[in-house]
Amino acid sequence: MLAERYPYYLANRPRQPNSDLPVVDKYSGEVVTRVALADAAAVEEAIASAVRAAEPMRKLPAHARQSVLEHCVRRFQERAEELAQVLCIEAGKPLRDARGEVTRLIETFKAAAEEAVRGGGEVMDLEVSPRAEGYRGFTRRVPVGPVSLITPFNFPLNLVAHKVAPAIAAGCPFILKPSDRTPVSAMLLAEVLAETALPEGAFSVITPSLADIGPLIEDERLKLLSFTGSEKVGWDLKARAGRKKVVLELGGNAACVVDREPGASLDVIADRVAHGAFFQSGQSCISVQRVLVHASHYEALKERLVTRAQALRAGNPRDEATTLGPMIDEPAARRLEGWIQSAVAKGARVLTGGGRKGALLEATVVEGVPADEPLCAEEAFGPVVLLQSFTSFTEALRTVNEGRYGLQAGLFTNDLSRAMRAWDELEVGGVVVGDVPSFRVDTMPYGGVKGSGLGREGVKYAIEDMTEPRLLVLRQRASSDD
């Protein structure tokens, strides 16, 4: 399925100077392929090429940018099963999850193709005072210029798509640095882009070492840095980015509130919570980590959730029957196993799961976790969900807000006033009513507050970040009758 080695892409073209980056099958732990590692000279060449491509990209007609994106959609559809198999191997995703991510990749590029020809602008009436009589304003959006994109391992295709597709639609040359744990998916995407008529230098997809990545963050020729990853790294990058625009999609420990009158059956709620907590082994920024349940439903929902966790089939993600694959590596699984053990030592109770074999961590349900334990206060980023009960809706909202993260929250209620109150009071980027916080459509504004980052993704919103309004002011003078 995988080639013996893969190039990186520099100024639209494949380069294979070495095979220094090993890629591991996340289930077997074996090296299955190798990718070329970019050095400092390649990073400099990528930036210089993007700068040279800025003017040709700005002048590329909207219909031409749309055609590039539509070509990608067709090719991704043709190569869908290949892409899913690659995700399965390099990211450890069960096949059903991998196929779902490929579907979202295609949807994201489709949405960007539609946005590419919509443009954006405004006609402004400037006659807001006597001194401005006779003046009108017009705006149009223009690309900011070369952009730097850094993506994590957990969605190697779709999180790349959320940066690359808007950059193309906006007319911005880009340099993408994918995770060195899952680089093959991004290289296959670059392979498809290389088939298009994008101007030379319009894109580079490179995998430099940490020692050589600095210019992608600090170089002033790059006008925007878009980073998805951990909280600690993200804020450090922002501090180093200088005057460029920065968009950060960081971590979360998403909460879901199940109200006294939840508006759905407990079976439906248990299904959705289990999916949100254990989908792709919980390695999602909006994975359900905390579930706050009204006391009247606590025991019944707990029983249902434990049953669903125990029913998951862990194992080789390439097996069609597998529903729980490995975490990204054994150190990540050991870290979360240690957090569970620490919580138990402080009085928490494991209702099911908690065991680990290599990178495979069992689907785990825990109750009674102290609020200051890492398992509750930090981002678990693994297949574990915490239960706690409440009696007061005010108390539940306060608990959701106590942490330093604020990405998304879920709420099951049939009380419209409570839904609106949650929307008003919860310190998060989005409130999902009638479902878990893990729900996301790729066109909606997605992003967090507090420690979860700044800015918004979602195709339209990312394009807005990658463009800026340019103003024309027109003074109309009185015309004669001649």
Side-chain angles (χ1 to χ4, degrees), residues 99-401:
R99 290 173 180 137
E101 182 171 346
V102 174
T103 297
R104 290 183 62 189
L105 162 75
I106 293 167
E107 290 173 351
T108 301
F109 269 78
K110 279 183 178 179
E114 294 170 359
E115 291 292 339
V117 294
R118 287 181 179 153
E122 186 179 6
V123 179
M124 305 174 66
D125 184 353
L126 299 180
E127 295 182 312
V128 296
S129 68
R131 72 179 183 86
E133 287 184 14
Y135 286 86
R136 289 186 183 181
F138 306 84
T139 65
R140 60 187 177 95
R141 300 198 70 87
V142 298
V144 297
V147 298
S148 178
L149 314 173
I150 302 177
T151 56
F153 67 80
N154 57 324
F155 287 92
L157 281 176
N158 197 42
L159 290 183
V160 166
H162 269 284
K163 299 184 188 301
V164 166
I168 295 169
C172 292
F174 68 86
I175 304 163
L176 168 70
K177 186 231 171 278
S179 169
D180 57 9
R181 295 177 178 183
T182 54
V184 177
S185 298
M187 297 310 165
L188 294 181
L189 188 150
E191 184 179 301
V192 170
L193 284 177
E195 300 168 353
T196 71
L198 282 171
E200 183 178 355
F203 75 92
S204 293
V205 181
I206 55 176
T207 50
S209 67
L210 287 178
D212 294 325
I213 197 177
L216 297 182
I217 301 152
E218 299 160 2
D219 197 302
E220 292 189 358
R221 291 173 292 177
L222 299 171
K223 303 306 179 185
L224 175 141
L225 169 64
S226 180
F227 170 84
T228 300
S230 73
E231 178 191 17
K232 180 180 178 181
V233 173
W235 294 117
D236 175 66
L237 297 189
K238 181 177 183 296
R240 295 167 54 192
R243 290 182 289 183
K244 65 175 60 64
K245 187 184 296 187
V246 177
V247 177
L248 300 177
E249 298 296 336
L250 307 178
N253 59 353
C256 186
V257 177
V258 181
D259 198 12
R260 180 181 59 234
E261 297 180 2
S265 73
L266 295 185
D267 285 323
V268 168
I269 294 170
D271 287 341
R272 293 304 295 156
V273 169
H275 176 78
F278 305 127
F279 166 74
Q280 70 168 45
S281 298
Q283 295 174 118
S284 168
C285 296
I286 45 177
S287 172
V288 179
Q289 185 168 333
R290 300 178 291 154
V291 183
L292 287 68
V293 188
H294 191 271
S296 61
H297 301 302
Y298 184 80
E299 292 299 328
L301 185 60
K302 177 171 72 174
E303 178 183 355
R304 287 167 169 78
L305 190 56
V306 167
T307 298
R308 283 155 177 78
Q310 293 172 341
L312 294 173
R313 178 171 173 174
N316 189 337
R318 299 180 76 178
D319 184 339
E320 295 277 2
T322 295
T323 50
L324 186 72
M327 293 179 64
I328 193 64
D329 56 28
E330 187 171 342
R334 285 201 304 266
R335 183 263 309 163
L336 188 50
E337 179 188 36
W339 285 8
I340 294 169
Q341 293 170 350
S342 174
V344 170
K346 297 292 178 61
R349 179 185 173 208
V350 175
L351 302 174
T352 190
R356 179 185 64 82
K357 183 178 180 181
L360 273 169
L361 185 70
E362 294 173 343
T364 304
V365 183
V366 190
E367 65 179 356
V369 178
D372 59 352
E373 274 292 295
L375 193 62
C376 182
E378 304 294 335
E379 181 178 37
F381 219 66
V384 61
V385 63
L386 284 55
L387 301 181
Q388 65 185 104
S389 66
F390 70 89
T391 55
S392 161
F393 190 68
T394 298
E395 167 198 346
L397 297 184
R398 185 183 304 117
T399 299
V400 174
N401 282 338

